[in-house]
Amino acid sequence: MRNSFLIAKRELGSFFSSAIFYVITVVFLLLYSFIYFQILNFFSFQSLQAAQVRGMDLGLNLNDMVIQPAFHNMAVILLLMIPIVTMRSFAEEKKGKTFTLLLSSPIHLKEIVFGKFLACWGVLTVMILLSSYSIAFLFMIGRPEIGPALTGYLGILLMSGCFVAVGILASSLTDNQIVAAALSFGFMLFMWVVGWGAQAAGPNIGPILEYLSLIDHLERFLKGIVDSSDVFYYLSFMFFALFLTHRVLDSNRWR
Amino acid sequence: MIEVENLSKFYGPRLAVNNLNFTVSQGEVVGFLGPNGAGKTTTMNILCCILPASRGTARICGFDIFEQSMEIRKTIGYLPENPPVYLDMTVDDYLQFAAAVRGVAGKKIAAAADRALEKCGLKDVRRRLIGKLSKGYQQRVGLAQALIHDPKILILDEPTTGLDPLQIMEIRKLIQDLASSHTIILSSHILPEVSQICQRVVIINEGEIAAIDSLEGLTASLRKTERLRLRVRSANDDVLQSLKALEGTLSVQQEDDSAFIVESPLGSPFQDKVARLALDREWGIVELSSASMTLEDIFLKLTTEEKELAE
């Protein structure tokens, strides 16, 4: 564990001392904020309309109409941004030949993989939590429920953990960062939409595809439900991707 | 200290290293010599537990490379061909990181980094980014990284490639200083380097050991004849014929327009004869020198011998 933290610490240092972290964070926050304020604007427009139609309960509420769609959009932006965060993790080490330092050190491969994962996930957690200003703002102007907002963040963090694990797996497959980014983006998007195949796949395979889809598990978190099966899905997804990363790196030595 | 037994490595179907056997004892400086692609780096990677061997094994300080790789990693300092330096870190940060991953205990890290900086002459650049340093300094940082945990064994893969002559001298000096307190394996395809630094040479060619010996031993075993170079002002066929006709000549080759290499049995005072002949015939001696085998010749001979036989 100490070694994983060492790797993570170095990785974080390199994130924060280079432009990558700042550029990605600023782009993420700008995109998110723009979309967020469009959602908020739409909500206030609808509220105005509702106020004119007396006696009609349109079921307007901040949780359903602002926080939930905001999280959905955040997930899409993350889908686009995470490959950029993770693509360097192993590809750069291999290209820059610095991987030999780690491989010839008394550290286990799994500690290296876990350290890389921690660093990328840590960076994303910082990035994602910075967006919480928007939710805090809602508490100043209205009375949304805090529960679904918190579980929403939990869901988003777990989902981005899966993205990170996939990104690191892709990065371990190649020494080219662009290839790593393309692979991880492709795979993430596939895991996102795989549930759409459920109908065509029929009653046997359909539910499996639905279960596999990354985004379906997010839905319940956004509604404020923490279902242990969803948490288990995300954790096992991460574990499996990191396990594959370990296998890939280990098999590289044998070839 | 290092015992290598029947070590082989396949990359897919390709045999990169075939059945290596050698030992290195404590305090020795051994040179790995071979053309590019001979299997030097592969062998070093196996010894550093980066790559697993396909067959055979090696023991380092009594530890097996398969079973006890973590112990071995603690006793070896490795400088790969490209120094494994993070260009976006400062020298100080990098060395502290290297010390930590090499297993130096937390409290001793600062002292270890200081010692490595001192040894490799990096004190002046300790706060600079490695990416901004010259290739020579980056190489030194790589060497400092290999020294950081005070390993008993140093494995250096072509430590002087890509450096300018002055930097090469500095690095060599550094390695010579280190030789007094470490067991060193050093690979190179630059022969003078090996002859300067190493006590013993392992010549590898196409994955196999072509020779293991001290430099003197190698020269002696391969030098079966005396060779003289004669350079004259007026070279013509007559010179060639006369030299061939000289008593005791084994062979004469024309080296270029004006120079000839005369081969004679070991120990015969042949210079006198050749000189007298040249003076008598008024060829005009420009140069008469011993053209005995250099390490280059030995190397070429050993690494091309088998091909000649095959042809």
Side-chain angles (χ1 to χ4, degrees), chain B residues 161-177:
Chain B
T161 39
L163 303 183
D164 69 37
L166 193 68
Q167 292 169 331
I168 290 180
M169 297 240 296
E170 286 171 359
I171 293 277
R172 273 185 205 160
K173 172 100 191 357
L174 193 53
I175 295 170
Q176 276 166 335
D177 291 346

Side-chain angles (χ1 to χ4, degrees), chain B residues 217-236:
Chain B
L218 276 179
T219 328
S221 70
L222 287 162
R223 219 173 79 182
K224 294 167 187 119
T225 58
E226 204 85 55
R227 284 147 60 94
L228 281 179
R229 177 181 293 110
L230 174 69
R231 191 180 291 279
V232 293
R233 262 190 291 279
S234 51
N236 50 39

Side-chain angles (χ1 to χ4, degrees), chain A residues 32 35-44 47 61-73 134-135 137-138 141 144:
Chain A
Y32 169 75
I35 295 172
Y36 172 78
F37 282 105
Q38 300 317 308
I39 294 168
L40 199 58
N41 197 27
F42 181 69
F43 179 77
S44 61
S47 304
N61 88 55
L62 282 169
N63 279 91
D64 284 353
M65 295 193 64
V66 179
I67 297 180
Q68 243 192 66
F71 275 133
H72 267 133
N73 285 294
S134 60
I135 309 294
F137 177 64
L138 287 184
I141 59 167

Side-chain angles (χ1 to χ4, degrees), chain A residues 103-178:
Chain A
L103 287 179
S104 65
S105 298
I107 317 179
H108 292 282
L109 203 48
K110 53 181 183 248
E111 294 174 314
I112 302 176
V113 173
F114 191 59
K116 294 273 181 192
F117 171 75
L118 276 186
C120 289
W121 203 13
V123 162
L124 279 158
T125 305
V126 172
M127 202 168 110
I128 290 166
L129 291 184
L130 281 176
S131 73
S132 63
Y133 81 91
S134 60
I135 309 294
F137 177 64
L138 287 184
F139 283 90
M140 287 162 62
I141 59 167
R143 288 195 314 278
E145 261 190 83
I146 190 148
L150 292 180
T151 58
Y153 268 114
L154 178 65
I156 288 276
L157 287 176
L158 283 171
M159 191 194 65
S160 53
C162 297
F163 284 169
V164 166
V166 168
I168 285 178
L169 171 61
S171 186
S172 74
L173 289 166
T174 169
D175 59 3
N176 185 321
Q177 297 192 26
I178 312 279

Side-chain angles (χ1 to χ4, degrees), chain B residues 29-247:
Chain B
V29 181
V30 171
F32 263 34
L33 213 55
N36 289 331
K40 298 182 300 255
T41 302
T42 305
T43 311
M44 293 187 147
N45 277 338
I46 294 173
L47 290 180
C48 295
C49 309
I50 293 173
L51 293 175
S54 310
R55 269 206 305 263
T57 186
R59 268 185 306 280
I60 294 172
C61 298
F63 298 119
D64 187 272
I65 50 167
F66 280 108
E67 308 292 337
Q68 291 142 313
S69 81
M70 286 298 155
E71 274 78 12
I72 289 182
R73 288 157 198 243
K74 285 176 196 159
T75 54
I76 286 187
Y78 183 35
L79 171 64
E81 195 174 346
N82 299 291
V85 291
Y86 293 98
L87 301 179
D88 57 354
M89 291 176 97
T90 65
V91 175
D92 254 345
D93 287 347
Y94 173 72
L95 288 179
Q96 285 179 10
F97 171 70
V101 293
R102 293 275 190 194
V104 175
K107 287 173 195 158
K108 295 180 185 158
I109 286 178
D114 273 345
R115 201 183 51 239
L117 285 169
E118 182 79 49
K119 268 189 185 163
C120 300
L122 289 164
K123 287 229 149 175
D124 299 338
V125 296
R126 61 189 300 169
R127 288 185 217 297
R128 291 193 33 203
L129 281 180
I130 296 175
K132 306 267 186 208
L133 296 177
S134 69
K135 181 82 174 66
Y137 268 105
Q138 289 185 6
Q139 193 76 17
R140 287 190 198 196
V141 177
L143 200 55
Q145 162 274 128
L147 290 170
I148 193 100
H149 52 307
D150 201 18
K152 293 190 188 112
I153 299 170
L154 278 178
I155 295 188
L156 312 172
D157 195 355
E158 307 202 354
T160 57
T161 39
L163 303 183
D164 69 37
L166 193 68
Q167 292 169 331
I168 290 180
M169 297 240 296
E170 286 171 359
I171 293 277
R172 273 185 205 160
K173 172 100 191 357
L174 193 53
I175 295 170
Q176 276 166 335
D177 291 346
L178 293 169
S180 58
S181 51
H182 297 81
T183 305
I184 300 180
I185 295 184
L186 170 128
S187 86
S188 181
H189 50 235
I190 306 166
L191 300 146
E193 183 167 293
V194 172
S195 59
Q196 270 180 26
I197 305 174
C198 303
Q199 295 142 7
R200 221 150 55 94
V201 185
V202 178
I203 296 185
I204 302 183
N205 187 39
E206 293 180 358
E208 292 180 39
I209 291 183
I212 311 181
D213 210 337
S214 65
L215 282 175
E216 298 78 29
L218 276 179
T219 328
S221 70
L222 287 162
R223 219 173 79 182
K224 294 167 187 119
T225 58
E226 204 85 55
R227 284 147 60 94
L228 281 179
R229 177 181 293 110
L230 174 69
R231 191 180 291 279
V232 293
R233 262 190 291 279
S234 51
N236 50 39
D237 262 3
D238 176 44
V239 178
L240 192 64
Q241 294 310 325
S242 319
L243 284 173
K244 272 186 180 163
L246 203 63
E247 197 192 332

Side-chain angles (χ1 to χ4, degrees), chain B residues 269-306:
Chain B
F270 216 59
Q271 281 97 331
D272 297 354
K273 283 189 192 171
V274 175
R276 195 169 300 126
L277 185 71
L279 287 174
D280 289 348
R281 303 275 173 99
E282 290 180 345
W283 292 335
I285 303 181
V286 176
E287 180 193 352
L288 179 62
S289 61
S290 163
S292 64
M293 261 183 150
T294 59
L295 195 53
E296 259 92 357
D297 299 320
I298 299 172
F299 179 67
L300 280 175
K301 192 158 172 130
L302 283 169
T303 52
T304 51
E305 217 162 39
E306 278 168 56

Side-chain angles (χ1 to χ4, degrees), chain A:
Chain A
M1 249 341 227
R2 171 188 178 250
N3 291 329
S4 292
F5 285 125
L6 275 175
I7 305 278
K9 196 179 138 208
R10 197 213 72 78
E11 202 76 4
L12 286 174
S14 126
F15 269 121
F16 291 125
S17 67
S18 71
I20 311 168
F21 170 74
Y22 303 100
V23 171
I24 295 178
T25 306
V26 167
V27 170
F28 167 75
L29 286 178
L30 283 177
L31 275 172
Y32 169 75
S33 303
F34 178 77
I35 295 172
Y36 172 78
F37 282 105
Q38 300 317 308
I39 294 168
L40 199 58
N41 197 27
F42 181 69
F43 179 77
S44 61
F45 182 70
Q46 287 214 312
S47 304
L48 272 179
Q49 279 193 325
Q52 285 164 359
V53 188
R54 294 216 163 178
M56 249 183 86
D57 182 11
L58 291 173
L60 288 173
N61 88 55
L62 282 169
N63 279 91
D64 284 353
M65 295 193 64
V66 179
I67 297 180
Q68 243 192 66
F71 275 133
H72 267 133
N73 285 294
M74 193 196 297
V76 177
I77 304 170
L78 286 174
L79 174 77
L80 300 168
M81 305 296 266
I82 290 177
I84 305 168
V85 176
T86 57
M87 66 182 188
R88 0 180 347 266
S89 50
F90 283 106
E92 197 182 40
E93 295 257 10
K94 285 197 259 181
K95 193 124 198 163
K97 316 276 183 194
T98 47
F99 206 30
T100 34
L101 170 66
L102 302 182
L103 287 179
S104 65
S105 298
I107 317 179
H108 292 282
L109 203 48
K110 53 181 183 248
E111 294 174 314
I112 302 176
V113 173
F114 191 59
K116 294 273 181 192
F117 171 75
L118 276 186
C120 289
W121 203 13
V123 162
L124 279 158
T125 305
V126 172
M127 202 168 110
I128 290 166
L129 291 184
L130 281 176
S131 73
S132 63
Y133 81 91
S134 60
I135 309 294
F137 177 64
L138 287 184
F139 283 90
M140 287 162 62
I141 59 167
R143 288 195 314 278
E145 261 190 83
I146 190 148
L150 292 180
T151 58
Y153 268 114
L154 178 65
I156 288 276
L157 287 176
L158 283 171
M159 191 194 65
S160 53
C162 297
F163 284 169
V164 166
V166 168
I168 285 178
L169 171 61
S171 186
S172 74
L173 289 166
T174 169
D175 59 3
N176 185 321
Q177 297 192 26
I178 312 279
V179 172
L183 280 177
S184 50
F185 175 71
F187 189 68
M188 286 172 195
L189 194 56
F190 176 71
M191 287 310 289
W192 184 289
V193 300
V194 69
W196 298 357
Q199 266 196 321
N204 294 327
I205 305 171
I208 299 176
L209 292 184
E210 234 162 45
Y211 179 76
L212 282 178
S213 171
L214 274 168
I215 195 71
D216 281 7
H217 293 269
L218 189 61
E219 295 302 331
R220 278 184 290 278
F221 280 105
L222 298 188
K223 288 188 182 117
I225 306 164
V226 180
D227 188 333
S228 57
S229 84
D230 298 327
V231 176
F232 179 77
Y233 167 83
Y234 280 135
L235 290 181
S236 54
F237 190 107
M238 285 179 230
F239 177 80
F240 187 60
L242 293 180
F243 170 75
L244 284 182
T245 311
H246 179 267
R247 298 321 299 163
V248 166
L249 291 170
D250 200 33
S251 77
N252 277 346
R253 302 169 62 221
W254 289 92
R255 259 178 287 153

